[in-house]
Amino acid sequence: MPSKYSTKNPEVWVPSSEEDARKEVPFLIKLFKKYGEVKSVLDVGCGMGRHAYLLSQKGYYCEGIEPHPKMVKYARKHYPNVTYKVNNMQNIKYRNKFDAVICIFSIIVFNKSNEEAIKTFNNFYNALKKGGVVIIETYNAINWLANNSFRTHFTDIDKKAGIKTIVNENINTNNQSYISERTYYRIKDNKKLGSFAKESRMFFPLELKFFLESSGFRVLTMLSSDSLSKMTLKDNRLDKRRLLVVAKKIN
């Protein structure tokens, strides 16, 4: 569960800084241009609102949804020209409104059951206009198997924020999920600031393809790289840390 610290400082939940987002948005635009005719975008799990804002600066109409009110409050304060709403992917009710839906940085893993996943993918389908595209980017579970890369303990250092994060993770084999426990310390005096734990669904490439096709999409490409900011259209060997799937609404 989130600590008081992580609730008051929602930026610690979001893996992409604004600097990172500025590197990632051009690749998203490249995908929009290659696979669709995109003018409007729904950012599902928009976090602090950075990607939606940067896309709006490039001329796209954007809306962001995010279940955490603190993040939406931050987004509205810092990026007032974009519409941000408190909602989650299982409950959105849009109909034929957007040319693209993006769901990046492993937001999709919060569909812990197959039933939740099916509901979410159906909601994405309904939110899109005919021919619209969905872009999903998440942890690539097969990377852990192919490269024996699952880490049970590691430390992240954010010198700019002055925060050290101790991470402990393990796999729940019954739920096909991994549990991540994070504890935050202030670097200058090693004072503990707070902690939180989350459980996330592990998705494999063909599993995502199955869910998308079952919801009426046609998968156009699947890419894999160590990060979204470094991904290219040639990264089609699906064994890297991050997985990206582009699919089109066909009816």
Side-chain angles (χ1 to χ4, degrees):
M1 294 293 293
S3 65
K4 184 177 180 181
Y5 171 77
S6 56
T7 301
K8 287 188 173 182
N9 299 271
E11 63 273 12
V12 302
W13 294 38
V14 182
S16 182
S17 66
E18 187 164 326
E19 182 180 350
D20 292 331
R22 291 185 183 280
K23 298 175 184 177
E24 293 150 359
V25 162
F27 185 65
L28 293 174
I29 293 175
K30 184 178 291 188
L31 295 173
F32 293 161
K33 292 180 177 179
K34 181 174 178 64
Y35 295 109
E37 297 180 4
V38 177
K39 296 180 180 178
S40 57
V41 181
L42 176 64
D43 186 353
V44 176
C46 64
M48 315 302 286
R50 296 166 178 138
H51 292 80
Y53 167 73
L54 292 172
L55 286 168
S56 74
Q57 294 296 100
K58 297 295 184 180
Y60 295 91
Y61 170 77
C62 295
E63 291 189 21
I65 65 165
E66 167 59 47
H68 298 289
K70 287 283 186 180
M71 292 189 186
V72 172
K73 182 179 180 180
Y74 179 99
R76 288 172 175 168
K77 178 180 178 180
H78 290 82
Y79 311 122
N81 295 324
V82 178
T83 298
Y84 297 102
K85 298 179 181 178
V86 178
N87 205 345
N88 65 54
M89 55 195 153
Q90 288 105 22
N91 292 326
I92 56 176
K93 304 296 183 183
Y94 297 104
R95 289 291 184 273
N96 306 310
K97 182 172 182 179
F98 298 97
D99 301 314
V101 170
I102 62 172
C103 185
I104 59 178
F105 293 111
S106 300
I107 297 302
I108 202 68
V109 303
F110 294 108
N111 292 288
K112 295 181 182 179
S113 68
N114 289 343
E115 291 76 16
E116 287 180 345
I118 290 168
K119 187 174 183 180
T120 289
F121 287 116
N122 286 340
N123 287 344
F124 291 174
Y125 183 91
N126 291 333
L128 287 168
K129 300 175 184 177
K130 184 177 180 179
V133 294
V134 59
I135 298 173
I136 296 168
E137 189 265 352
T138 186
Y139 285 110
N140 184 9
I142 207 164
N143 166 258
W144 292 330
L145 298 175
N147 301 301
N148 192 28
S149 61
F150 186 82
R151 297 182 295 172
T152 58
H153 179 82
F154 58 95
T155 300
D156 280 337
I157 302 292
D158 186 339
K159 292 183 179 179
K160 185 176 181 180
I163 302 297
K164 176 177 69 174
T165 307
I166 305 296
V167 183
N168 292 291
E169 297 189 328
N170 62 83
I171 293 176
N172 183 329
T173 55
N174 289 352
N175 291 347
Q176 192 181 303
S177 63
Y178 65 97
I179 299 169
S180 178
E181 299 176 347
R182 296 168 180 258
T183 304
Y184 304 103
Y185 296 88
R186 192 163 54 202
I187 292 175
K188 66 179 182 180
D189 57 7
N190 209 38
K191 179 182 178 181
K192 182 178 177 180
L193 301 172
S195 61
F196 82 90
K198 65 176 182 177
E199 184 172 5
S200 306
R201 170 75 175 265
M202 293 175 6
F203 282 103
F204 293 84
L206 291 183
E207 188 178 15
L208 279 177
K209 185 173 186 286
F210 172 80
F211 280 120
L212 285 163
E213 290 176 343
S214 298
S215 299
F217 290 98
R218 183 175 80 248
V219 173
L220 303 177
T221 191
M222 303 179 80
L223 304 170
S224 183
S225 181
D226 289 329
S227 68
L228 179 58
S229 62
K230 297 178 181 179
M231 196 171 288
T232 74
L233 294 171
K234 296 181 180 179
D235 291 326
N236 55 12
R237 182 179 173 89
L238 303 181
D239 63 346
K240 300 297 191 298
R241 193 170 66 90
R242 307 298 303 178
L243 173 68
L244 183 141
V245 184
V246 182
K248 176 171 284 192
K249 179 176 179 176
I250 55 179
N251 293 315

